[in-house]
């Protein structure tokens, strides 16, 4: 009788342990899938943010360049100022988003670009008002705007590296 009870208990206990082990394995698998999905979603969110930030920073840079040409060739009209401000605002919005999403290395590079773009914007606005700071001219603003392109390249490289698209240093 004792042997029969031990046999039944062993069979039932083995089944119970197998079931618990199976449930534990399923929980671990679900957690791994969930973690993988979260990583994939975070990468997708960063990728979208980076694409938009890169695009808007380039468009702001191009708008600054156009504005410089307008200032050289003719007087600035309201439509010209509006186009420049729209590009500036779009970049500001993307940069604000990146501040919440991007890792420190990318954010450092984006901050350099943001500061450079705003510096050129400020120079242009002071030149428009006829109140440039010492050393500011159309030529110095054009040179500063031209230098932004290299900063954009460095920012883009940092973004691509973060996304695993490029391993350039």
């Amino acid at each position: 009788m004792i042997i029969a009870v031990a046999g039944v208990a062993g069979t039932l206990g083995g089944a119970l342990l197998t079931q618990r082990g199976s449930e534990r394995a399923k929980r671990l698998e679900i957690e791994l899938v969930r973690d993988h999905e979260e990583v994939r979603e975070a990468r997708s969110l960063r990728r979208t943010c980076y694409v938009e930030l890169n695009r808007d920073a380039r468009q702001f840079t191009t708008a600054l360049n156009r504005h410089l040409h307008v200032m050289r060739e003719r007087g600035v009209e309201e439509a010209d100022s509006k186009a420049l401000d729209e590009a500036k605002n779009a970049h500001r919005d993307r940069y604000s988003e990146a501040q919440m999403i991007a890792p420190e290395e990318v954010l450092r590079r984006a901050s350099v670009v943001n500061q450079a773009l705003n510096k050129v914007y400020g120079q242009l606005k002071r030149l428009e008002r006829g109140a440039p700071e010492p050393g500011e001219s159309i030529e110095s603003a054009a040179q500063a705007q031209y230098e932004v392109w290299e900063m954009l390249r460095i920012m883009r490289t940092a973004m691509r590296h973060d996304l695993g698209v490029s391993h350039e240093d």
Side-chain angles (χ1 to χ4, degrees):
M1 178 83 140
I2 295 175
I3 293 173
V5 170
V8 170
T11 302
L12 292 176
L16 182 62
L17 288 175
T18 302
Q19 182 182 359
R20 291 184 80 195
S22 176
E23 287 174 359
R24 183 172 181 241
K26 284 181 184 178
R27 271 195 311 266
L28 287 173
E29 183 180 345
I30 289 170
E31 286 177 23
L32 285 173
V33 168
R34 189 177 300 135
D35 290 346
H36 178 71
E37 189 64 28
E38 286 176 6
V39 167
R40 196 166 67 78
E41 287 176 13
R43 179 174 286 148
S44 177
L45 182 62
R46 284 194 327 271
R47 182 180 161 273
T48 300
C49 176
Y50 292 171
V51 166
E52 292 174 354
L53 178 62
N54 185 57
R55 178 199 63 217
D56 290 343
R58 293 175 64 83
Q59 287 179 342
F60 188 16
T61 304
T62 300
L64 289 166
N65 188 47
R66 281 191 208 121
H67 206 76
L68 280 161
H69 286 292
V70 166
M71 289 175 70
R72 286 181 181 135
E73 295 167 5
R74 61 175 170 80
V76 175
E77 298 172 1
E78 185 177 332
D80 302 317
S81 290
K82 184 178 179 185
L84 180 60
D85 287 340
E86 286 173 358
K88 179 184 185 297
N89 292 339
H91 170 71
R92 181 202 59 223
D93 293 346
R94 287 315 138 246
Y95 178 67
S96 296
E97 182 181 349
Q99 287 178 312
M100 298 295 113
I101 296 172
E104 287 301 317
E105 179 59 25
V106 172
L107 196 53
R108 269 194 296 277
R109 305 302 183 178
S111 177
V112 168
V113 169
N114 184 58
Q115 289 172 15
L117 288 169
N118 285 317
K119 179 181 175 188
V120 175
Y121 178 84
Q123 286 181 34
L124 291 182
K125 290 301 180 177
R126 286 187 294 276
L127 288 166
E128 272 184 42
R129 288 191 310 266
E133 291 182 356
E136 288 184 338
S137 65
I138 295 278
E139 292 74 27
S140 68
Q143 181 61 36
Q145 181 273 330
Y146 177 78
E147 292 169 0
V148 172
W149 290 109
E150 178 63 16
M151 296 172 205
L152 285 169
R153 188 193 65 72
I154 292 168
M155 179 184 75
R156 184 182 63 243
T157 298
M159 287 186 224
R160 290 174 54 86
H161 182 75
D162 177 50
L163 293 173
V165 175
S166 172
H167 298 290
E168 298 174 21
D169 289 319

